[in-house]
Each structure stands twice: as structure tokens, then as C-alpha cells.
Amino acid sequence: LTGSGETLSRKSAEVFIPADMVIVDEASMLNLELASDLFSAIRPGTLVLLVGDTHQLPAIGAGNVLFDFIFSGLIPVVRLTKVFRQSKGSVILQNAQAINVGALKLEEASDFKIITAEDNEILEAVAQKFMECYDAANPYSVQVISPTVKTVEALNLEIQKMVNKQTGGLYYGGVNYRMGDKILMVRNNYDVGYCNGDIGIITGVGKDCMKVKINQTELLLKKEELR
């Protein structure tokens, strides 16, 4: 996307992006086609800053652009080394560094536990651990992350049964949205006022709409926006 929200394509590549500097976030996700479109639309003399982590999300399409740029040694590279998300002695940080170098043995501590379960026991094991950590007064204090959409959907249903026993709600797309549910936005909608990744709590449910409180602001979502 360009700064104006217009889709970047080869057809528009002759029209350069009107900027002296272009910052590309999550650059590890750049594939060859997107990178080609991007750089074709950048006028000579423009400074380009790629921000990303080669250990994070790779490109869905062909190519490993960010890694190859760094490996080539042809462009200046700055590496951030200080971690702010965990304390210095965190086992999470230690294990993340071990995984990056291919180590198989991970350490356990108060902030990192490994729970082993058979395939047919995973949902129950995760839901049980969730309930051990869950605080109804602060629903943002615990979050489950899963690598597959199918597992996410199953976990959502399992955990909803435990933490939200409200009846009624708004049924859409195989989901029964209830008062008090915590939801995650998966699209940007600047008109309504939420972004991809925003987390909110459902504060009101109607026949064809619902209210969600995100970042201390209550937003009205119409049924057609629930997808």
C-alpha cells in the first residue's frame, strides 16, 4: 500500500511515491514480487529504511528479500541488541536465543513452562492452564496464541464456555458473540476507528450490531463488519 492507501502495482510503478524517505515495517515478509513493485515505485535519491527481523514472519510468496539484503553485505545494517519486553534474567529471552541457534534443550522457570499432551488432550490442557491464569477482573492479563486458525476456533469455543456463561448474543459466521467476550480485530477500519491487532471487550449486543470497547473507546460494529 502507498501512503494514501492505494494499492501499489506494476501498472502504477511509473508514478513514483512522493516521499524523500520510505519506511517499510515487517520487512521480513517482503517477497520478490512485492519488493519489485515497491522499489520500482521509489524515485532515485529516496532513502529507504527496512525494519524487520529475519527470525520472524517470512514472506508468503517466493523470496527471502530482507535476509538476502543483509547477507549481501552491500547495504548498511543496524542490529538492535537490547530487549525491553523481558527482564535481563528472563528464561523466555534465554530460550528465544537458544531456538535461534538451533538448540533443542529449553530451560523452564516461573515465566516459561512446557506442558506435554497427546493430540486429543491439547484443547483441554490449554483451557485448563488458561483458567489457572485467568482473572475475571482483568481479562487482558492472559492471552492464548495458537499457530493454526482451526485450533484458534476450537480454543475460542472451549474457553468461552468456561469464562462467559451469558446467554443470547449475536450469532455470525459460526460464532456466538456474547456480552463480555474479548475479541481481536483482524482488519484495519479507520472509518470506525480500529486497527488489525486491537483487542477489545464486547459491551453491548443488538440484533444486527454490537458495541466493543477498544483503547478506552466504545465503537459500534455493524453485522456486515463482523467478518
Side-chain angles (χ1 to χ4, degrees), residues 1-3 17 19-27 30 38 42 46-52:
L1 294 177
T2 65
I17 297 172
D20 297 320
M21 180 178 184
V22 174
I23 301 174
V24 183
D25 197 11
E26 300 292 357
L30 273 178
L38 171 66
I42 293 177
T46 297
L47 177 64
V48 180
L49 175 63
L50 302 179
V51 182

Side-chain angles (χ1 to χ4, degrees), residues 25 91 114 164-165:
D25 197 11
V91 172
I114 299 173
N164 192 347
K165 302 187 184 300

Side-chain angles (χ1 to χ4, degrees), residues 183-187 194-200 212 214 221:
I183 64 172
L184 173 72
M185 315 310 288
V186 295
R187 295 285 188 276
Y194 61 80
C195 296
N196 179 26
D198 280 347
I199 298 177
V212 181
I214 297 176
L221 303 183

